[in-house]
Structure formats: C-alpha cells, structure tokens
C-alpha cells in the first residue's frame, strides 16, 4: 500500500496561501497537542464549500467530518473566521493601493433556494424571484470585496433588510460614508440610513426607456461579487441549518478567493491560452 502523500485538491491552499492564514488559527499555548493539523481543517472547509458536498461526505484523507465541523462552528462563534476574512481583505486592499478602511460600498441582495436542512423558522418565499429559501444581503467595497453579509428569510424585503445590513456595515466599517444601491432600496430607507447610520445612500436607477440589459455604474461591482459566490457550489443553494453558518460559508468563499488573489497558485489561469503564441 502506498504511503506517499495524497495528491492535493484544487481547493487546497498553497504554502504561500497558508502562511497568510496560519497565524490566526494557531493552537493556543498550554493545551494538549492537536491531533489534526490546522491546515487540513482549513483545506477541508474550503473543499466542502467549493465542491458542495455534505459534511459526512468529506473525503477520508481529511480529518473526520465531526472534527472539521466542530472547528467550523467554533471559529464562527469565536470570531476567528471574521478575523481571517477581515485581515485578508485589508491585505488585498493594501496590495491594490487602497486604504484598508473603505469609504464607499455597494449593497444588494440575492435569494437562493433553501435545502430541506433549512428550517421553516428561517426561510421564506420571495414572490418577486419565486424562490423559497433564504436571502443574502451583502455590502461590498468598490473592489467587490465583502464588507458584511446578513442572511435572512427570502421573504424579507430588500429595504427592510437594508436597514439591518447597513447598520451592520457601519459597525464593521465606520469609515463608510457612501453606499450605492438599486431601486429596491429607495424610499424612506434613504432618510433612515442618513439619520441613524450617517451614510449617504445613493440610488442607481435604470435610464428611462431602457428595455435591454445594460451594465449600470457601480451596480455591476456587487453583481460580480454575487456571481463569484455562486461559483462555490455550497452557496448555489442554502444548506445550513443556522443563518450564522450561512454567513460563515460566504466569508469562507471570500477567504479562498482573497488568498488566491494575494498568493496566486502556479500554473495557467483559466483565461490564459493553453500554448503561448
């Protein structure tokens, strides 16, 4: 039987990517030695998120699924996931020559179908999109990087979710002064956000008479982020029992994306030609 190291999965972190995350998940001093490497725990979470498999169907070369889930839940509850995500976002912004504290953002919502693991108390029906499940409300910066995410029942109106997500954005990123949104956030919300969140909410409307699809200024940034998220198959639907775990899965998808942006893996990118001209 071969005792060699198993081949890595495409979702696994490279050494350079792991160095970005390792300091934030190191074992606490004084405890008993860890049975499973933290790196394999992180790789397992990213694998599950990228492939969309269930916890119980994690490949056997990862630590036991119960162990991986325990770390996922503990890191979510203890704020470790948030610290990893925010640190990588600051690094990406710094590498792009931007201030780590964003001053502007874009808000939007995305309804996704809920699996049978989503309880009735946290799901609803979005009549506009004809989706029975949950809704992800997100605020991103002008680079498309996630600032905050809020998962609610899909029946919640965008403007009602807008109060909660923009209040959360103000707490997470106090430097935000301007947020762009679509027409679903128009009305009384604009005045409420200005008064209680001290944020200018600017509505980006479609040009009059527009009948075909056109890319709208600023709005395309958040739409692109939502498309990034659904490429992670776990996020194509909502499978999590708890909304907080759904939010954590969104953050882990962005962690994987930002780690690859900061330390690109070797090899040809999908958009590059197979053979040099």
């Amino acid at each position: 039987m071969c005792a060699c190291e198993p081949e890595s999965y495409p979702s696994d972190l490279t050494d350079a990517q792991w160095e970005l995350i390792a300091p934030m998940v190191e074992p606490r001093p004084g405890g008993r030695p860890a049975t499973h490497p933290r790196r394999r725990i992180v790789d397992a979470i990213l694998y599950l998120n990228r492939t969309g498999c269930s916890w119980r169907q994690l490949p056997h070369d990862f630590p036991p699924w119960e162990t991986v889930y325990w770390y996922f839940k503990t890191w979510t509850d203890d704020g470790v996931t948030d610290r990893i995500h925010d640190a990588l976002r600051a690094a990406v912004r710094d590498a792009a020559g931007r201030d780590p504290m964003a001053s502007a953002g874009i808000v939007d919502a995305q309804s996704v179908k809920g699996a049978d693991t989503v309880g009735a108390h946290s799901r609803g029906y979005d009549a506009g999109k004809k989706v029975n499940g949950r809704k992800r409300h997100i605020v991103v910066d002008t680079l498309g990087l996630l600032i905050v995410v809020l998962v609610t029942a899909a029946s919640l109106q965008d403007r009602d979710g807008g109060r909660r997500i923009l209040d959360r954005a103000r707490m997470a990123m106090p430097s935000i002064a301007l947020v762009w949104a679509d027409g679903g956030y128009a009305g009384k919300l604009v005045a409420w956000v200005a008064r209680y969140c001290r944020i200018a909410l600017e509505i980006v409307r479609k040009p009059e008479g527009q009948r075909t699809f056109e890319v709208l200024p600023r709005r395309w940034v958040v739409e692109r982020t939502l498309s990034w998220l659904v490429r992670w198959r776990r996020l194509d639907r909502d499978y999590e029992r708890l909304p907080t775990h759904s939010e954590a899965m969104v953050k882990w998808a962005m962690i994987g994306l930002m780690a690859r942006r900061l330390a690109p893996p070797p090899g040809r990118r999908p958009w590059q030609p197979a053979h040099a001209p």
Side-chain angles (χ1 to χ4, degrees), residues 132-176:
N132 187 329
R134 286 183 176 150
K135 183 177 288 187
R136 299 179 188 128
H137 309 261
I138 67 171
V139 176
V140 302
D141 64 12
T142 53
L143 297 178
L145 304 178
L146 182 71
I147 296 176
V148 286
V149 56
L150 171 69
V151 173
T152 68
S155 54
L156 187 71
Q157 295 292 325
D158 287 357
R159 60 177 58 92
D160 295 328
R163 292 193 178 195
R164 295 169 59 183
I165 189 66
L166 291 172
D167 183 58
R168 182 177 290 192
R170 184 63 172 176
M171 296 294 293
M173 189 76 70
S175 55
I176 286 185

Side-chain angles (χ1 to χ4, degrees), residues 100-140:
M101 299 298 291
S103 61
I106 309 97
V107 62
D108 201 0
Q110 177 188 56
S111 295
V112 291
K113 292 181 179 180
D116 55 4
T117 50
V118 177
H121 66 284
S122 64
R123 69 190 298 156
Y125 184 71
D126 183 341
K129 300 294 178 63
K130 295 181 174 56
V131 171
N132 187 329
R134 286 183 176 150
K135 183 177 288 187
R136 299 179 188 128
H137 309 261
I138 67 171
V139 176
V140 302

Side-chain angles (χ1 to χ4, degrees), residues 8 12-23 39 43 259 263-266:
S8 62
D12 286 355
L13 298 173
T14 65
D15 292 342
Q17 292 164 2
W18 171 240
E19 289 177 3
L20 299 170
I21 297 174
R39 181 171 179 173
D43 282 341

Side-chain angles (χ1 to χ4, degrees), residues 5 14 24 47 56 59 66 71-72 83 99-100 206 235 264:
E5 290 289 330
T14 65
M24 292 174 277
Y47 176 91
R56 294 174 185 272
E66 299 95 334
Y71 275 102
F72 169 79
R83 289 194 289 274
D99 189 323
K206 294 181 179 180
L235 300 179

Side-chain angles (χ1 to χ4, degrees), residues 203-232:
I203 306 301
V204 181
R205 301 185 182 278
K206 294 181 179 180
E208 291 187 14
Q210 177 181 328
R211 293 292 182 271
T212 59
F213 173 79
E214 291 183 19
V215 176
L216 298 178
R218 303 295 183 181
R219 293 275 302 116
W220 66 270
V221 176
V222 69
E223 296 288 354
R224 182 184 59 179
T225 302
L226 292 172
S227 71
W228 288 344
L229 294 179
V230 295
R231 291 178 185 174
W232 294 71

